Amino acid sequence: MPKTLPLPPGVRRDVRRSAVRAALAVTAAATLTAAGFTVTSTGARAADGDVATSVLADLTISDVPAAGLDAFNGVFGTAGSPPNGGLDNGDLSDPSGVLNYLTVRGQAVVRTNAEAARNWAQAQASGFTLSLNERDFLAVGSLDAYAECIPAPIGPLALAYARTDSNTIGVLGRRVPTGTTQIEVTGAELGAAGVSTATLTIQYDQVEDPSGGGYQPQSSARAGLDITISGVLRDEEGQELYDGPLVDVELGHVDVTCDGTTSPPVTTPPPTSPPVTSPPPVTSPPPTEPPITIPPITVPPVTVPPITVPPVTDPPITIPPVTVPPVTVPPVTVPPITLPPTQPPATKPPTPSPTPTKPGPSHEPDYGYGDHGDH
């Protein structure tokens, strides 16, 4: 697992980086000289005196036979503008052969501009891949680097930023954040047959001066990415084969300054002379004129004839008769009511008259007839 290491106390990142680059440059120069080559121009670098410069890629590879690396140094994509030199759209030729190692993805942009109002520099690309020993050794995502300086009387003000994908890079497939990180790799991953294991130390710095992405009161600005990779290589017995720098890459380095910028002239109004004061003229009193009397003006009265207003006659209002249509009430049909059948009253049989047992008297009985009580 990658390990992020702190810097030693009192060591600044830019000082430490200068020492690493010096060691890489000495190693590369010594190797090329020993091989009998003459170091020629490594690309179109910015000219001295430019107030705005931009370099898309600056690559240095150390001579490490144990790792299969040969010394190399070169730049790709440069632009520079002298004071008030205007726009430079950059040189994207590759005389030093950086593109033999480094692949630049997307449209590469490197340009500068210097004028009285401001100086600025810009570098952009969709991504970078550094291939060593036929392996993707280093991968960097999209980059947008910008620096700007505004002179007096508005400034001096400076602005700088370096924007990348998630602020991380890839080293042999490992994700590496900004700062110092150590990773353990194998010789097979490096493509070095004589190496068994290796410890790589990656120093990844995102340069923004001034920082914060906003204007700061200073007269210069710079931005870009700095990546330095060193390593300790060991054989199968654990014996150390090499300990030192391997690769140094600077991407999107932009640098501007307000020095040498011609500020617009300040126009001051010419001094004004005090007006010449002459003695006051001699004035004589004005002549006295008699007052003018204006007679009063009498306005005759105005007689207004009376105005007769004819009476207003309202026309009669005729109300038309209102005809109410007859209301027809539909007949109401009551359904017939069926009464249940009534039963006839029950007929009692006649009560039979008793049959006399003896004939009744044929004459009206007298009073006391039938009273046999005394007989």
Side-chain angles (χ1 to χ4, degrees):
M1 177 179 295
K3 296 183 295 183
T4 301
L5 304 179
L7 284 176
V11 176
R12 289 169 42 201
R13 294 193 186 279
D14 54 350
V15 174
R16 186 181 195 182
R17 177 167 181 74
S18 299
V20 174
R21 284 196 65 81
L24 285 168
V26 170
T27 303
T31 305
L32 292 174
T33 303
F37 294 103
T38 302
V39 180
T40 59
S41 173
T42 58
R45 295 183 182 271
D48 293 338
D50 285 347
V51 294
T53 61
S54 178
V55 179
L56 187 60
D58 188 339
L59 173 63
T60 301
I61 303 174
S62 298
D63 180 56
V64 186
L69 303 180
D70 296 326
F72 175 83
N73 178 249
V75 296
F76 168 72
T78 60
S81 295
N84 298 307
L87 180 65
D88 180 2
N89 282 318
D91 178 8
L92 292 175
S93 62
D94 185 28
S96 59
V98 171
L99 298 184
N100 294 331
Y101 303 90
L102 187 69
T103 299
V104 180
R105 297 190 299 274
Q107 182 180 4
V109 175
V110 54
R111 56 184 179 175
T112 59
N113 188 34
E115 53 190 14
R118 61 173 181 158
N119 299 331
W120 57 264
Q122 185 178 36
Q124 292 177 331
S126 298
F128 306 85
T129 301
L130 176 63
S131 298
L132 299 176
N133 296 333
E134 299 181 353
R135 286 162 174 76
D136 291 342
F137 186 79
L138 172 66
V140 181
S142 63
L143 170 64
D144 179 13
Y146 181 80
E148 179 180 306
C149 188
I150 300 176
I154 299 176
L157 294 173
L159 164 72
Y161 62 79
R163 299 168 180 163
T164 61
D165 289 341
S166 305
N167 294 331
T168 61
I169 60 175
V171 178
L172 293 176
R174 278 81 157 176
R175 302 298 296 176
V176 177
T178 55
T180 305
T181 305
Q182 279 189 349
I183 62 174
E184 301 294 330
V185 300
T186 65
E189 290 178 291
L190 289 172
V195 176
S196 177
T197 61
T199 301
L200 302 185
T201 301
I202 303 104
Q203 179 68 44
Y204 172 34
D205 295 325
Q206 185 175 346
V207 179
E208 291 181 338
D209 181 23
S211 61
Y215 286 99
Q216 301 293 332
Q218 62 187 56
S219 60
S220 64
R222 64 192 185 101
L225 303 182
D226 290 343
I227 305 168
T228 300
I229 303 175
S230 59
V232 178
L233 313 182
R234 295 175 291 268
D235 60 15
E236 292 183 356
E237 286 76 25
Q239 297 296 318
E240 185 177 293
L241 300 175
Y242 176 82
D243 183 1
L246 299 174
V247 173
D248 186 274
V249 185
E250 294 181 354
L251 299 175
H253 263 233
V254 289
D255 197 312
V256 296
T257 178
C258 290
D259 296 339
T261 304
T262 303
S263 302
V266 179
T267 303
T268 57
T272 58
S273 301
V276 178
T277 305
S278 57
V282 178
T283 58
S284 57
T288 303
E289 296 180 359
I292 300 174
T293 303
I294 300 176
I297 300 174
T298 303
V299 180
V302 179
T303 303
V304 180
I307 300 173
T308 303
V309 179
V312 179
T313 304
D314 295 333
I317 300 174
T318 304
I319 300 176
V322 178
T323 304
V324 179
V327 179
T328 303
V329 179
V332 178
T333 305
V334 179
I337 301 173
T338 305
L339 300 177
T342 58
Q343 296 180 354
T347 306
K348 296 181 179 181
T351 304
S353 301
T355 303
T357 59
K358 54 182 177 178
S362 60
H363 62 271
E364 290 291 329
D366 293 334
Y367 293 105
Y369 174 80
D371 183 11
H372 305 285
D374 291 338
H375 299 284

